[in-house]
Amino acid sequence: EAGVTQFPSHSVIEKGQTVTLRCDPISGHDNLYWYRRVMGKEIKFLLHFVKESKQDESGMPNNRFLAERTGGTYSTLKVQPAELEDSGVYFCASSPQVSGANVLTFGAGSRLTVL
Amino acid sequence: AQKITQTQPGMFVQEKEAVTLDCTYDTSDPSYGLFWYKQPSSGEMIFLIYQGSYDQQNATEGRYSLNFQKARKSANLVISASQLGDSAMYFCAMREGALAGNTPLVFGKGTRLSVIA
C-alpha cells in the first residue's frame, strides 16, 4: 500500500511569491489533515478535510493560506503571497473513517523556505 | 498553556540499552488518546504506539512500550534494546475528546534520540 505522498519535498521562494503544496493521501482515506512545523516549535494543526469538505480549518493562520481537496482525493495547500514566517515543514496526514484511535499516517513533509 | 511537554530536547543511549523518553500532558477531558511518532532523517512521521485514557494496561508494540501514569499525566515511551536505526526525532501527541474523535492532534516539541554503537 502506497503511503501519503507530498510534493515538492523542498521549495525555496522569495517573499511575495506563491507556492502550492500537494498531498496524495492513502487511497480510500476520507480524512486528510494538514499540519505545520515552524523551526524549533511544535507541530501545529492547520486543517482537516473529510472527503472534499473542510471539517475544521481552525488552525489556518490567515487568508493567505488556501486549501482544497477537489473530488475528495488529493489536496493542495496554496500560500499566496508567501511571507518569511511561513517557512517551515508542512505535513499532510490521512486516516480512514474515524474509528478507534484514529491513527494518522503522515507523509514526509514539504519543507518551505521563504527568503 | 502547553498541552504536551517533552522536557528532553536530546538524548543519547548506548546500543542494546533501554531508553525512556518523557512526555507529560495537560487536559481536563476524561477522554483522550496519547500517541508517539518517530521521525527519522527521511522526514516521514511514523506511528509507533497509542494509549487510550480508559485503557487499563500500558500499551506495548514490539520493543516500544508506553509507561502510562494517569494520575501524574505522564506517557513516557520506553524503547528496549536500542538499535542504531532508532536514532530519530520522537514526538508525543494527544487528542482530546471522544476516543474515536476528530479533534486535532496536539504535539510536543520532540526529543532527538541518538543511539551510539
Side-chain angles (χ1 to χ4, degrees), chain A residues 4 31 33 35 37 40-43 45 48 50 55-56 58 91 98-109, chain B residues 2 4 35 37 39 42-47 50 89 91 95 99-110 112:
Chain A
V4 176
N31 294 286
Y33 307 79
Y35 283 78
R37 187 181 188 212
K41 300 204 171 178
E42 296 90 343
I43 300 168
F45 168 79
H48 169 211
V50 177
Q55 178 82 7
D56 180 355
S58 60
F91 290 100
V98 173
S99 64
N102 188 22
V103 175
L104 272 59
T105 301
F106 281 82
Chain B
Q2 217 168 349
I4 296 285
F35 303 77
Y37 281 87
Q39 186 186 34
S42 59
E44 191 168 347
M45 299 268 285
I46 302 167
F47 166 72
Y50 166 81
M89 196 76 172
F91 292 98
R95 171 182 293 118
L99 293 182
N102 252 331
T103 53
L105 285 178
V106 177
F107 284 85
K109 289 187 176 182
R112 181 168 298 282

Side-chain angles (χ1 to χ4, degrees), chain A residues 28-64:
Chain A
H29 279 194
D30 287 344
N31 294 286
L32 188 149
Y33 307 79
W34 284 98
Y35 283 78
R36 174 174 77 169
R37 187 181 188 212
V38 172
M39 181 69 75
K41 300 204 171 178
E42 296 90 343
I43 300 168
K44 293 266 177 103
F45 168 79
L46 296 178
L47 89 159
H48 169 211
F49 284 99
V50 177
K51 296 185 181 178
E52 67 275 7
S53 300
K54 290 177 186 173
Q55 178 82 7
D56 180 355
E57 50 185 330
S58 60
M60 293 287 263
N62 52 61
N63 59 10
R64 295 185 293 103

Side-chain angles (χ1 to χ4, degrees), chain B residues 4 10 14 22-23 36-37 41 43 50 60-61 67 76 87 91 96 98 113-114 117:
Chain B
I4 296 285
Q14 200 75 36
D22 294 342
C23 173
W36 277 92
Y37 281 87
S41 56
Y50 166 81
T60 60
E61 288 287 349
N67 184 1
N76 298 340
S87 294
F91 292 98
E96 292 175 305
L113 177 67
S114 299

